[in-house]
Amino acid sequence: MADIRWVGFDGDDTLWKSEDYYRQAEHDFEQILAGYLDLEDRRMQQHLLETERRNLKVFGYGVKGMTLSMIESAIQLTDERISARDLHRVMEIGRACLQHPVDLLPGIREAVEAVARDHEIVLITKGDLFHQEAKIAQSGLADLFHRIEVVSEKDEATYARVLQELGVHASQFVMVGNSLRSDIEPVIQLGGWGIHMPYHVTWALETEHGLGDDVPRLHTVTVAAQIPSTLASIRSQ
């Protein structure tokens, strides 16, 4: 039987909705650029994605990095023709995204409570510190977690550090999340377990991963209510 000591949960699009607001922000951004560019030109979306990718090491993940990348893309795509008024509108898109409500996914509170009754649980989320802390506080879930980690990246090095600080071997750890790239693959590579709960929309950069179709120690659920029973199944292996 698997000796599971700790269970980790991702935040964005695992506990609460997030990517929906980013997609709306991108749509609003495109509507501003429609005054300068042909929206049928798919290079516009690709330009923003590549700008965000390039800026990750400078601005990190989150709304602020997205907003700065939008401003940079707008200036470049319009050959510096975009007006100060429209740049201000882009900034307001970012401000609105930072202030969006925190809506929990259906059944997630009950699932987290059920897991917390038998395991120590840790929230591991990445992004802007201020924004993540605000969402955690507004979620009403903070008191359920024994530990909360807001990190700049979710890779093998980050998970290895967290597991060392928790005093647990990777084989005794299960990570629950919507992103195969950030939540599941690094933990699997370290020898841990993953419970993948796909969200209906995923940021393009989060779809890039190296996992195959048949991955040991990886389970998939479709709704939060399946998390406790899937965890029980892992423990029985």
Side-chain angles (χ1 to χ4, degrees), residues 139-163:
S139 74
L141 300 176
D143 291 345
L144 297 177
F145 289 93
H146 300 90
R147 183 170 177 139
I148 294 174
E149 291 275 347
V150 180
V151 299
S152 58
E153 184 58 277
K154 294 168 83 172
D155 53 17
E156 288 187 43
T158 298
Y159 283 106
R161 173 187 63 79
V162 172
L163 293 177

PDB file of all heavy atoms in Angstrom, residues 139-163:
ATOM      1  N   SER A 139     -10.840  33.082  -0.840  1.00  0.00           N
ATOM      2  CA  SER A 139     -11.403  31.758  -1.117  1.00  0.00           C
ATOM      3  C   SER A 139     -12.085  31.149   0.102  1.00  0.00           C
ATOM      4  O   SER A 139     -12.972  30.306  -0.033  1.00  0.00           O
ATOM      5  CB  SER A 139     -10.307  30.809  -1.596  1.00  0.00           C
ATOM      6  OG  SER A 139      -9.453  30.414  -0.513  1.00  0.00           O
ATOM      7  N   GLY A 140     -11.646  31.542   1.284  1.00  0.00           N
ATOM      8  CA  GLY A 140     -12.186  30.962   2.502  1.00  0.00           C
ATOM      9  C   GLY A 140     -11.653  29.569   2.799  1.00  0.00           C
ATOM     10  O   GLY A 140     -12.156  28.879   3.690  1.00  0.00           O
ATOM     11  N   LEU A 141     -10.625  29.148   2.068  1.00  0.00           N
ATOM     12  CA  LEU A 141     -10.075  27.799   2.240  1.00  0.00           C
ATOM     13  C   LEU A 141      -8.777  27.769   3.033  1.00  0.00           C
ATOM     14  O   LEU A 141      -8.297  26.694   3.390  1.00  0.00           O
ATOM     15  CB  LEU A 141      -9.814  27.157   0.867  1.00  0.00           C
ATOM     16  CG  LEU A 141     -11.013  26.969  -0.067  1.00  0.00           C
ATOM     17  CD1 LEU A 141     -10.537  26.421  -1.416  1.00  0.00           C
ATOM     18  CD2 LEU A 141     -12.042  26.040   0.552  1.00  0.00           C
ATOM     19  N   ALA A 142      -8.206  28.928   3.306  1.00  0.00           N
ATOM     20  CA  ALA A 142      -6.864  28.993   3.888  1.00  0.00           C
ATOM     21  C   ALA A 142      -6.737  28.179   5.174  1.00  0.00           C
ATOM     22  O   ALA A 142      -5.725  27.507   5.397  1.00  0.00           O
ATOM     23  CB  ALA A 142      -6.468  30.441   4.140  1.00  0.00           C
ATOM     24  N   ASP A 143      -7.750  28.216   6.023  1.00  0.00           N
ATOM     25  CA  ASP A 143      -7.664  27.533   7.314  1.00  0.00           C
ATOM     26  C   ASP A 143      -7.633  26.013   7.189  1.00  0.00           C
ATOM     27  O   ASP A 143      -7.283  25.318   8.149  1.00  0.00           O
ATOM     28  CB  ASP A 143      -8.847  27.943   8.199  1.00  0.00           C
ATOM     29  CG  ASP A 143      -8.754  29.393   8.657  1.00  0.00           C
ATOM     30  OD1 ASP A 143      -7.656  29.973   8.540  1.00  0.00           O
ATOM     31  OD2 ASP A 143      -9.776  29.937   9.106  1.00  0.00           O
ATOM     32  N   LEU A 144      -7.997  25.500   6.022  1.00  0.00           N
ATOM     33  CA  LEU A 144      -7.988  24.044   5.830  1.00  0.00           C
ATOM     34  C   LEU A 144      -6.589  23.500   5.580  1.00  0.00           C
ATOM     35  O   LEU A 144      -6.337  22.315   5.810  1.00  0.00           O
ATOM     36  CB  LEU A 144      -8.887  23.658   4.646  1.00  0.00           C
ATOM     37  CG  LEU A 144     -10.379  23.981   4.767  1.00  0.00           C
ATOM     38  CD1 LEU A 144     -11.102  23.602   3.478  1.00  0.00           C
ATOM     39  CD2 LEU A 144     -10.988  23.245   5.960  1.00  0.00           C
ATOM     40  N   PHE A 145      -5.687  24.367   5.147  1.00  0.00           N
ATOM     41  CA  PHE A 145      -4.353  23.915   4.757  1.00  0.00           C
ATOM     42  C   PHE A 145      -3.368  24.013   5.922  1.00  0.00           C
ATOM     43  O   PHE A 145      -3.362  24.992   6.671  1.00  0.00           O
ATOM     44  CB  PHE A 145      -3.846  24.733   3.569  1.00  0.00           C
ATOM     45  CG  PHE A 145      -4.564  24.430   2.286  1.00  0.00           C
ATOM     46  CD1 PHE A 145      -5.670  25.174   1.902  1.00  0.00           C
ATOM     47  CD2 PHE A 145      -4.163  23.373   1.483  1.00  0.00           C
ATOM     48  CE1 PHE A 145      -6.354  24.878   0.734  1.00  0.00           C
ATOM     49  CE2 PHE A 145      -4.831  23.071   0.313  1.00  0.00           C
ATOM     50  CZ  PHE A 145      -5.938  23.823  -0.065  1.00  0.00           C
ATOM     51  N   HIS A 146      -2.512  22.987   6.025  1.00  0.00           N
ATOM     52  CA  HIS A 146      -1.482  22.990   7.052  1.00  0.00           C
ATOM     53  C   HIS A 146      -0.294  23.861   6.638  1.00  0.00           C
ATOM     54  O   HIS A 146       0.492  24.294   7.488  1.00  0.00           O
ATOM     55  CB  HIS A 146      -1.007  21.558   7.321  1.00  0.00           C
ATOM     56  CG  HIS A 146      -2.104  20.650   7.789  1.00  0.00           C
ATOM     57  ND1 HIS A 146      -2.886  19.902   6.927  1.00  0.00           N
ATOM     58  CD2 HIS A 146      -2.569  20.390   9.033  1.00  0.00           C
ATOM     59  CE1 HIS A 146      -3.764  19.205   7.624  1.00  0.00           C
ATOM     60  NE2 HIS A 146      -3.598  19.476   8.898  1.00  0.00           N
ATOM     61  N   ARG A 147      -0.189  24.096   5.329  1.00  0.00           N
ATOM     62  CA  ARG A 147       0.905  24.925   4.821  1.00  0.00           C
ATOM     63  C   ARG A 147       0.488  25.510   3.475  1.00  0.00           C
ATOM     64  O   ARG A 147      -0.243  24.871   2.710  1.00  0.00           O
ATOM     65  CB  ARG A 147       2.183  24.088   4.661  1.00  0.00           C
ATOM     66  CG  ARG A 147       3.398  24.883   4.200  1.00  0.00           C
ATOM     67  CD  ARG A 147       4.649  24.045   4.303  1.00  0.00           C
ATOM     68  NE  ARG A 147       5.821  24.761   3.805  1.00  0.00           N
ATOM     69  CZ  ARG A 147       7.000  24.726   4.383  1.00  0.00           C
ATOM     70  NH1 ARG A 147       7.179  24.028   5.483  1.00  0.00           N
ATOM     71  NH2 ARG A 147       8.035  25.368   3.855  1.00  0.00           N
ATOM     72  N   ILE A 148       0.946  26.730   3.204  1.00  0.00           N
ATOM     73  CA  ILE A 148       0.643  27.407   1.943  1.00  0.00           C
ATOM     74  C   ILE A 148       1.945  27.895   1.334  1.00  0.00           C
ATOM     75  O   ILE A 148       2.747  28.556   1.999  1.00  0.00           O
ATOM     76  CB  ILE A 148      -0.322  28.591   2.160  1.00  0.00           C
ATOM     77  CG1 ILE A 148      -1.687  28.074   2.624  1.00  0.00           C
ATOM     78  CG2 ILE A 148      -0.471  29.417   0.869  1.00  0.00           C
ATOM     79  CD1 ILE A 148      -2.665  29.163   2.991  1.00  0.00           C
ATOM     80  N   GLU A 149       2.166  27.554   0.062  1.00  0.00           N
ATOM     81  CA  GLU A 149       3.370  27.952  -0.662  1.00  0.00           C
ATOM     82  C   GLU A 149       2.977  28.732  -1.916  1.00  0.00           C
ATOM     83  O   GLU A 149       2.262  28.207  -2.779  1.00  0.00           O
ATOM     84  CB  GLU A 149       4.174  26.712  -1.088  1.00  0.00           C
ATOM     85  CG  GLU A 149       4.814  25.948   0.046  1.00  0.00           C
ATOM     86  CD  GLU A 149       6.165  26.521   0.452  1.00  0.00           C
ATOM     87  OE1 GLU A 149       6.705  27.342  -0.309  1.00  0.00           O
ATOM     88  OE2 GLU A 149       6.660  26.119   1.515  1.00  0.00           O
ATOM     89  N   VAL A 150       3.403  29.987  -2.011  1.00  0.00           N
ATOM     90  CA  VAL A 150       3.256  30.767  -3.232  1.00  0.00           C
ATOM     91  C   VAL A 150       4.634  30.825  -3.880  1.00  0.00           C
ATOM     92  O   VAL A 150       5.569  31.374  -3.298  1.00  0.00           O
ATOM     93  CB  VAL A 150       2.725  32.185  -2.965  1.00  0.00           C
ATOM     94  CG1 VAL A 150       2.600  32.963  -4.281  1.00  0.00           C
ATOM     95  CG2 VAL A 150       1.376  32.130  -2.250  1.00  0.00           C
ATOM     96  N   VAL A 151       4.762  30.231  -5.053  1.00  0.00           N
ATOM     97  CA  VAL A 151       6.076  30.080  -5.679  1.00  0.00           C
ATOM     98  C   VAL A 151       6.108  30.791  -7.029  1.00  0.00           C
ATOM     99  O   VAL A 151       5.072  31.063  -7.637  1.00  0.00           O
ATOM    100  CB  VAL A 151       6.430  28.581  -5.865  1.00  0.00           C
ATOM    101  CG1 VAL A 151       6.477  27.885  -4.509  1.00  0.00           C
ATOM    102  CG2 VAL A 151       5.422  27.889  -6.782  1.00  0.00           C
ATOM    103  N   SER A 152       7.319  31.081  -7.496  1.00  0.00           N
ATOM    104  CA  SER A 152       7.476  31.772  -8.777  1.00  0.00           C
ATOM    105  C   SER A 152       7.441  30.805  -9.951  1.00  0.00           C
ATOM    106  O   SER A 152       7.125  31.188 -11.078  1.00  0.00           O
ATOM    107  CB  SER A 152       8.788  32.559  -8.801  1.00  0.00           C
ATOM    108  OG  SER A 152       9.894  31.692  -8.577  1.00  0.00           O
ATOM    109  N   GLU A 153       7.767  29.540  -9.703  1.00  0.00           N
ATOM    110  CA  GLU A 153       7.735  28.506 -10.745  1.00  0.00           C
ATOM    111  C   GLU A 153       7.418  27.173 -10.090  1.00  0.00           C
ATOM    112  O   GLU A 153       7.729  26.954  -8.913  1.00  0.00           O
ATOM    113  CB  GLU A 153       9.089  28.435 -11.476  1.00  0.00           C
ATOM    114  CG  GLU A 153       9.141  27.455 -12.633  1.00  0.00           C
ATOM    115  CD  GLU A 153       8.120  27.720 -13.707  1.00  0.00           C
ATOM    116  OE1 GLU A 153       6.959  27.264 -13.519  1.00  0.00           O
ATOM    117  OE2 GLU A 153       8.448  28.359 -14.715  1.00  0.00           O
ATOM    118  N   LYS A 154       6.773  26.295 -10.843  1.00  0.00           N
ATOM    119  CA  LYS A 154       6.460  24.961 -10.327  1.00  0.00           C
ATOM    120  C   LYS A 154       7.193  23.950 -11.201  1.00  0.00           C
ATOM    121  O   LYS A 154       6.679  23.477 -12.208  1.00  0.00           O
ATOM    122  CB  LYS A 154       4.943  24.727 -10.330  1.00  0.00           C
ATOM    123  CG  LYS A 154       4.222  25.656  -9.357  1.00  0.00           C
ATOM    124  CD  LYS A 154       2.726  25.649  -9.546  1.00  0.00           C
ATOM    125  CE  LYS A 154       2.079  24.501  -8.826  1.00  0.00           C
ATOM    126  NZ  LYS A 154       0.587  24.610  -8.862  1.00  0.00           N
ATOM    127  N   ASP A 155       8.405  23.645 -10.798  1.00  0.00           N
ATOM    128  CA  ASP A 155       9.238  22.694 -11.503  1.00  0.00           C
ATOM    129  C   ASP A 155       9.787  21.689 -10.504  1.00  0.00           C
ATOM    130  O   ASP A 155       9.466  21.729  -9.313  1.00  0.00           O
ATOM    131  CB  ASP A 155      10.358  23.404 -12.273  1.00  0.00           C
ATOM    132  CG  ASP A 155      11.182  24.341 -11.385  1.00  0.00           C
ATOM    133  OD1 ASP A 155      11.113  24.197 -10.139  1.00  0.00           O
ATOM    134  OD2 ASP A 155      11.888  25.198 -11.933  1.00  0.00           O
ATOM    135  N   GLU A 156      10.630  20.783 -10.979  1.00  0.00           N
ATOM    136  CA  GLU A 156      11.153  19.739 -10.091  1.00  0.00           C
ATOM    137  C   GLU A 156      11.922  20.330  -8.916  1.00  0.00           C
ATOM    138  O   GLU A 156      11.809  19.848  -7.784  1.00  0.00           O
ATOM    139  CB  GLU A 156      12.047  18.778 -10.875  1.00  0.00           C
ATOM    140  CG  GLU A 156      11.291  17.868 -11.828  1.00  0.00           C
ATOM    141  CD  GLU A 156      12.189  16.820 -12.461  1.00  0.00           C
ATOM    142  OE1 GLU A 156      13.018  16.235 -11.725  1.00  0.00           O
ATOM    143  OE2 GLU A 156      12.084  16.604 -13.678  1.00  0.00           O
ATOM    144  N   ALA A 157      12.701  21.372  -9.166  1.00  0.00           N
ATOM    145  CA  ALA A 157      13.494  21.976  -8.091  1.00  0.00           C
ATOM    146  C   ALA A 157      12.594  22.551  -7.012  1.00  0.00           C
ATOM    147  O   ALA A 157      12.868  22.414  -5.806  1.00  0.00           O
ATOM    148  CB  ALA A 157      14.397  23.067  -8.666  1.00  0.00           C
ATOM    149  N   THR A 158      11.502  23.202  -7.416  1.00  0.00           N
ATOM    150  CA  THR A 158      10.580  23.789  -6.443  1.00  0.00           C
ATOM    151  C   THR A 158       9.904  22.713  -5.613  1.00  0.00           C
ATOM    152  O   THR A 158       9.842  22.802  -4.380  1.00  0.00           O
ATOM    153  CB  THR A 158       9.517  24.636  -7.159  1.00  0.00           C
ATOM    154  OG1 THR A 158      10.153  25.720  -7.844  1.00  0.00           O
ATOM    155  CG2 THR A 158       8.508  25.192  -6.161  1.00  0.00           C
ATOM    156  N   TYR A 159       9.391  21.678  -6.285  1.00  0.00           N
ATOM    157  CA  TYR A 159       8.728  20.607  -5.537  1.00  0.00           C
ATOM    158  C   TYR A 159       9.706  19.862  -4.638  1.00  0.00           C
ATOM    159  O   TYR A 159       9.354  19.476  -3.510  1.00  0.00           O
ATOM    160  CB  TYR A 159       8.047  19.631  -6.505  1.00  0.00           C
ATOM    161  CG  TYR A 159       6.754  20.151  -7.079  1.00  0.00           C
ATOM    162  CD1 TYR A 159       6.686  20.590  -8.394  1.00  0.00           C
ATOM    163  CD2 TYR A 159       5.600  20.202  -6.317  1.00  0.00           C
ATOM    164  CE1 TYR A 159       5.503  21.067  -8.934  1.00  0.00           C
ATOM    165  CE2 TYR A 159       4.410  20.678  -6.835  1.00  0.00           C
ATOM    166  CZ  TYR A 159       4.369  21.112  -8.152  1.00  0.00           C
ATOM    167  OH  TYR A 159       3.187  21.596  -8.679  1.00  0.00           O
ATOM    168  N   ALA A 160      10.934  19.670  -5.103  1.00  0.00           N
ATOM    169  CA  ALA A 160      11.937  18.990  -4.282  1.00  0.00           C
ATOM    170  C   ALA A 160      12.199  19.785  -3.004  1.00  0.00           C
ATOM    171  O   ALA A 160      12.345  19.206  -1.921  1.00  0.00           O
ATOM    172  CB  ALA A 160      13.221  18.794  -5.073  1.00  0.00           C
ATOM    173  N   ARG A 161      12.271  21.108  -3.140  1.00  0.00           N
ATOM    174  CA  ARG A 161      12.486  21.954  -1.963  1.00  0.00           C
ATOM    175  C   ARG A 161      11.320  21.842  -0.996  1.00  0.00           C
ATOM    176  O   ARG A 161      11.514  21.668   0.225  1.00  0.00           O
ATOM    177  CB  ARG A 161      12.660  23.407  -2.384  1.00  0.00           C
ATOM    178  CG  ARG A 161      12.724  24.382  -1.187  1.00  0.00           C
ATOM    179  CD  ARG A 161      12.718  25.828  -1.603  1.00  0.00           C
ATOM    180  NE  ARG A 161      11.500  26.221  -2.298  1.00  0.00           N
ATOM    181  CZ  ARG A 161      10.354  26.497  -1.676  1.00  0.00           C
ATOM    182  NH1 ARG A 161      10.249  26.375  -0.361  1.00  0.00           N
ATOM    183  NH2 ARG A 161       9.302  26.889  -2.370  1.00  0.00           N
ATOM    184  N   VAL A 162      10.094  21.932  -1.525  1.00  0.00           N
ATOM    185  CA  VAL A 162       8.909  21.865  -0.666  1.00  0.00           C
ATOM    186  C   VAL A 162       8.838  20.517   0.040  1.00  0.00           C
ATOM    187  O   VAL A 162       8.580  20.449   1.258  1.00  0.00           O
ATOM    188  CB  VAL A 162       7.630  22.121  -1.488  1.00  0.00           C
ATOM    189  CG1 VAL A 162       6.386  21.862  -0.638  1.00  0.00           C
ATOM    190  CG2 VAL A 162       7.606  23.556  -2.018  1.00  0.00           C
ATOM    191  N   LEU A 163       9.085  19.444  -0.692  1.00  0.00           N
ATOM    192  CA  LEU A 163       9.026  18.116  -0.078  1.00  0.00           C
ATOM    193  C   LEU A 163      10.089  17.954   0.997  1.00  0.00           C
ATOM    194  O   LEU A 163       9.830  17.340   2.052  1.00  0.00           O
ATOM    195  CB  LEU A 163       9.195  17.041  -1.153  1.00  0.00           C
ATOM    196  CG  LEU A 163       8.060  16.914  -2.182  1.00  0.00           C
ATOM    197  CD1 LEU A 163       8.407  15.864  -3.226  1.00  0.00           C
ATOM    198  CD2 LEU A 163       6.751  16.578  -1.495  1.00  0.00           C
TER     199      LEU A 163
END
